[in-house]
Amino acid sequence: MSADSTSFSPSASAPAFRLAGSGFAYGDRVVLAPFSLDLTAGETVAILGASGCGKSTLLRLIAGLLLGQPSSLAGQVAWMAQQDLLLPWLTLFDNVLLGARLRGEVPDIARTQALLARLGLADRANAMPASLSGGMRQRAALARTLMEDRPLVLMDEPFSALDAITRAAMQELASEVLSHRAVLLVTHDPAEACRLADRIFVLSGAPAVLQQVAVLPPAAPRDPLSPPVLPVLRNVQAALQKAVNA
Amino acid sequence: MTNLLRPVLTACGLLLLWQGIVWGFDLPSYILPAPYRVALAFVDNAGLLLREATVTVIEMLLGLLFGCLLGAAAAICLLLSPTARRWLLPLLVASQAVPVFALAPLLVLWLGFGIASKVMMAVLVIFFPVAVALYDGLRRTETGWLDLARVMTADAPQHRLRILQHIRLMAALPAFASGLKIAAAVAPIGAVIGEWVGASAGLGFRMLQANARVQTDLMFAALILLAVCAVTLYVGVDAMTRRWLRWQADSHPSLLSPVKE
């Protein structure tokens, strides 16, 4: 395995991230071409692609999970995956505090309570994860992500295991609570990308190349079927289809 | 109600069967004493038997304690150190090829007729299942949890021990509990074999003595008391591990939980 680590450069105006790397290979098989992606605070960028196209590899590379050495973004990143990854032996409250506990910090009880209340979990703080619905568990995972208070949030298909109604509610909630952060969202769902992202990229090819396919009008969350968004959704779907067929 | 009645009925049935065999085959009491003779032997020797049982129980508990500590330490060493994996793992596996019971005379030679050789014997049979179970559990931590922990701690080495403590060890508890239950089941075997080879006290020692003097009723009384101690130990360990693992939803009833109709 070989790759350059991603780099991070705060700019003078808005805090920004330049996520760049020279690609990634498993042995001789190059799966990811060199890439460069700028993100400003408050911006959500979605990366679309067919399953197995390298989306997760890209995200894991940026998170520093692939190289066996800390990435230069270490300490700047919060991670939210498709599974809620709640520890079954801890209450929701303690799950939200996991990061502080692992770093040996003094837990901020008041902030944890405030976050749980904000996500509508105040009365379930002492519940064990197994006793909660999938939607509630994913909300707790979102609370844990926010508790980390990092400027860049990496999300790997965080809502794809939820049913349609819960997913829509979660997307709305996530869009609201993450509005001041830079968010990199990996998804396979063009409608989700149009609902949440300010810019949309498609990742495809071997080795996989990142290509911007759409810029959306401001103010997420959007209804992907509303008149200004619908043509963008069609374009994105067409671009994704083309990428898959190529 | 039925949950309490069922074991009592089973015990009565077994006693009747036992008595039936004694009557039916007209067995002399030095071959198979009738249940009431065993009960009499128990009452007549209650003080003696309880003293011997105390010794055996202490041997089992100490063996369990040290065996588990040693097994857990070995598992954590194996997880943390590739050097330990290269050197210790083959040794561990090879050590199980030596029948532990064949070592009993040596242990008595080295550690004497007292309690130490029996505890050591129990440690030897307990150590392996605990080490293997915990090591397997530690290796199989859900990778998503570890990824999350790595991002949260920015992969800093000073936080690795806390990841081990809060995630890997906790996630390995169910596997450790399985190892512990096997350990609780084999602990009496270790203690009794140790006593058979050379001892001056303990239920195993008393059984051998009674057997040599054709006090078969006393031997049966000691045997039944040993079984009671072993079952109590297992039930206690099972209850303890279930307290730890309350967060874990059972998809199947445990060996000891009452069967629901």
Side-chain angles (χ1 to χ4, degrees):
Chain A
M1 291 200 291
S2 69
D4 278 1
S5 55
T6 51
S7 61
F8 160 56
S9 56
S11 83
S13 55
F17 296 91
R18 164 154 296 173
L19 309 171
S22 66
F24 189 77
Y26 290 107
D28 290 338
R29 197 167 61 92
V30 182
V31 290
L32 206 59
F35 62 91
S36 175
L37 178 63
D38 290 329
L39 259 168
T40 53
E43 187 184 32
T44 299
V45 166
I47 296 178
L48 278 168
S51 44
C53 73
K55 296 180 303 228
S56 290
T57 304
L58 175 63
L59 206 64
R60 295 173 65 81
L61 187 62
I62 293 168
L65 288 173
L66 278 184
L67 294 173
Q69 66 197 35
S71 100
S72 54
L73 286 163
Q76 305 282 330
V77 182
W79 173 262
M80 191 168 169
Q82 182 177 347
Q83 310 85 17
D84 52 71
L85 300 180
L86 297 175
L87 300 177
W89 54 86
L90 295 181
T91 61
L92 279 203
F93 193 86
D94 286 327
N95 262 296
V96 172
L97 277 172
L98 181 68
R101 193 187 278 232
L102 290 180
R103 290 185 295 270
E105 297 165 359
V106 181
D108 188 341
I109 308 284
R111 220 181 121 237
T112 311
Q113 278 163 342
L115 260 175
L116 282 171
R118 189 171 173 202
L119 294 182
L121 293 167
D123 56 334
R124 309 310 290 268
N126 292 316
M128 302 307 269
S131 68
L132 301 174
S133 68
M136 278 192 187
R137 293 167 60 107
Q138 206 58 359
R139 259 189 282 160
L142 186 58
R144 184 188 55 203
T145 310
L146 291 173
M147 191 67 198
E148 290 296 281
D149 200 16
R150 305 281 174 80
L152 177 61
V153 177
L154 304 177
M155 303 179 110
D156 191 1
E157 311 218 11
F159 313 122
S160 59
L162 302 174
D163 64 85
I165 308 257
T166 314
R167 189 188 312 144
M170 271 302 291
Q171 287 165 341
E172 206 132 307
L173 184 65
S175 167
E176 180 198 323
V177 296
L178 293 167
S179 58
H180 301 300
R181 289 163 216 273
V183 178
L184 189 60
L185 171 73
V186 158
T187 176
H188 62 258
D189 178 5
E192 178 170 272
C194 287
R195 187 185 287 268
L196 296 177
D198 303 299
R199 285 185 292 145
I200 299 176
F201 287 73
V202 166
L203 188 68
S204 66
V209 177
L210 205 54
Q211 204 174 13
Q212 181 166 316
V213 295
V215 178
L216 283 114
R222 311 166 196 86
D223 177 359
L225 300 180
S226 64
V229 185
L230 190 57
V232 183
L233 175 59
R234 290 223 174 90
N235 283 344
V236 170
Q237 272 169 339
L240 185 61
Q241 194 64 51
K242 207 174 116 200
V244 171
N245 292 341
Chain B
M1 161 61 188
T2 46
N3 284 333
L4 213 75
L5 201 61
R6 203 170 284 130
V8 173
L9 281 178
T10 310
C12 289
L14 285 174
L15 281 177
L16 276 178
L17 183 68
W18 178 357
Q19 185 67 61
I21 291 172
V22 172
W23 278 333
F25 295 92
D26 196 19
L27 294 171
S29 69
Y30 62 85
I31 297 290
L32 183 65
Y36 80 93
R37 275 177 173 277
V38 173
L40 272 184
F42 191 90
V43 173
D44 289 345
N45 300 285
L48 173 77
L49 284 173
L50 286 181
R51 268 200 310 283
E52 307 288 28
T54 311
V55 173
T56 304
V57 167
I58 288 173
E59 289 163 0
M60 292 190 309
L61 288 178
L62 286 179
L64 203 56
L65 176 70
F66 291 119
C68 287
L69 286 179
L70 219 62
I76 293 172
C77 274
L78 287 175
L79 178 81
L80 292 181
S81 153
T83 317
R85 275 200 294 283
R86 270 193 297 277
W87 291 90
L88 201 58
L89 204 52
L91 201 64
L92 250 172
V93 175
S95 76
Q96 292 306 300
V98 181
V100 186
F101 306 128
L103 296 176
L106 264 184
L107 291 179
V108 173
L109 179 67
W110 290 338
L111 300 172
F113 285 88
I115 198 170
S117 55
K118 286 81 199 171
V119 172
M120 193 62 196
M121 192 71 210
V123 166
L124 284 180
V125 292
I126 285 163
F127 166 80
F128 192 69
V130 170
V132 168
L134 182 59
Y135 179 53
D136 270 353
L138 286 171
R139 277 167 48 217
R140 298 208 179 123
T141 317
E142 153 109 45
T143 50
W145 293 338
L146 295 176
D147 285 346
L148 183 69
R150 282 175 66 193
V151 174
M152 281 174 160
T153 59
D155 240 348
Q158 70 266 27
H159 301 315
R160 296 238 168 97
L161 266 184
R162 272 193 293 267
I163 295 181
L164 175 70
Q165 177 198 344
H166 290 298
I167 298 184
R168 270 197 196 271
L169 273 174
M170 290 302 292
L173 271 188
F176 180 62
S178 302
L180 204 54
K181 278 185 269 189
I182 296 176
V186 298
I189 303 177
V192 168
I193 298 268
E195 288 174 0
W196 280 355
V197 173
S200 49
L203 284 174
F205 163 76
R206 188 51 56 192
M207 283 172 67
L208 224 54
Q209 292 280 311
N211 198 30
R213 295 175 189 165
V214 206
Q215 295 169 315
T216 316
D217 46 0
L218 181 59
M219 193 187 142
F220 266 80
L223 180 64
I224 288 168
L225 191 56
L226 181 66
V228 169
C229 292
V231 169
T232 309
L233 184 68
Y234 185 85
V235 171
V237 166
D238 186 71
M240 186 176 75
T241 56
R242 259 190 289 171
R243 270 181 70 86
W244 296 344
L245 299 174
R246 257 178 307 191
W247 50 269
Q248 202 193 25
D250 283 337
S251 58
H252 201 75
S254 95
L255 276 181
L256 294 177
S257 63
V259 180
K260 294 190 184 70
E261 274 102 324

